Amino acid sequence: MQAKTSKSSSSSPPPGTSLSSSTAMHLADLITELNGFCGFMSILCSLRYCLGPPTSFANAWAALAFMPFGLFFDFMDGKVARWRGKSSLMGQELDSLADLISFGVAPATFAFALGLRTPLDTLVLAFFVLCGLTRLARFNVTVAAVPKDASGKSKYFEGTPIPTTLAIAAAMAYCVGQGRVLEQLPGGLWGAEVLGGAVAIHPVVGVFAVWGGMMTSRSIRIPKI
């Protein structure tokens, strides 16, 4: 996750720290890379689903399966970093970039594959991804100011952590299981007859808009377990 306590909380090397040590790759960073790998593979599987028959869900299930695997590696890299007592500033940045791929771009891409394909749908999905990007960038520059407990861990998350978007992935998995994809998406399609469909939108895409807002909210503070 983006809140690994073993990662440095500064965007620049501390005094006396060499550039090479700040950019050194450690075992935890390689595990972080696996998080990004899972996110990218999920995106590819979503694209493969778009290219195939809409009733053939093998690639859709594969796309969904890679997301929780990404969460597993996101959890494990922090554990390994604390176990080995080694981390780097580059690891902090890798963590955020991998999270954006696995929990921002991958779910949005799968939603597009599932049927949220109108111009307004895609604008909302873009908003969702940009909110995830903003949330991760803000975390990296403010983590030092967040109150810490006795062990040095942040006491709370400001805004919902981006891995919570797997809840949306779970809902999309339910839709796949029920065959509610494309024209059968819950809530249907609104505005299809207005302006030649230019303002058509699936109401269910609102979930992504709300989630994006929660990720960037400064008033939502979730205690860190």
Side-chain angles (χ1 to χ4, degrees), residues 40-185:
F40 182 65
M41 291 302 295
S42 175
I43 293 169
L44 292 183
C45 289
S46 293
L47 296 178
R48 289 193 183 101
Y49 172 70
C50 286
L51 295 173
T55 55
S56 179
F57 295 126
N59 284 313
W61 287 119
L64 288 165
F66 274 113
M67 295 182 207
F69 275 113
L71 181 64
F72 170 77
F73 291 120
D74 189 38
F75 174 77
M76 288 303 299
D77 60 3
K79 292 288 188 182
V80 171
R82 286 188 287 272
W83 167 55
R84 291 177 59 87
K86 291 183 178 181
S87 61
S88 66
L89 288 173
M90 189 173 73
Q92 172 183 298
E93 302 306 321
L94 278 175
D95 189 64
S96 292
L97 292 170
D99 282 357
L100 180 64
I101 296 170
S102 294
F103 312 124
V105 180
T109 303
F110 186 77
F112 177 87
L114 208 61
L116 301 182
R117 303 180 184 181
T118 73
L120 288 183
D121 287 342
T122 54
L123 282 177
V124 174
L125 293 177
F127 169 78
F128 167 78
V129 172
L130 293 177
C131 284
L133 177 62
T134 301
R135 192 254 185 273
L136 291 165
R138 189 178 70 193
F139 174 84
N140 284 350
V141 300
T142 62
V143 63
V146 176
K148 307 293 193 297
D149 59 20
S151 66
K153 294 174 63 175
S154 299
K155 289 184 177 180
Y156 57 80
F157 293 107
E158 188 177 86
T160 54
I162 193 169
T164 60
T165 60
L166 287 187
I168 300 179
M172 291 190 291
Y174 175 80
C175 289
V176 173
Q178 298 297 310
R180 303 290 298 275
V181 301
L182 300 176
E183 293 83 3
Q184 304 300 319
L185 281 172

Side-chain angles (χ1 to χ4, degrees), residues 33 35 52 95 180 187 196 223 225:
E33 299 270 15
N35 175 13
D95 189 64
R180 303 290 298 275
I225 300 176

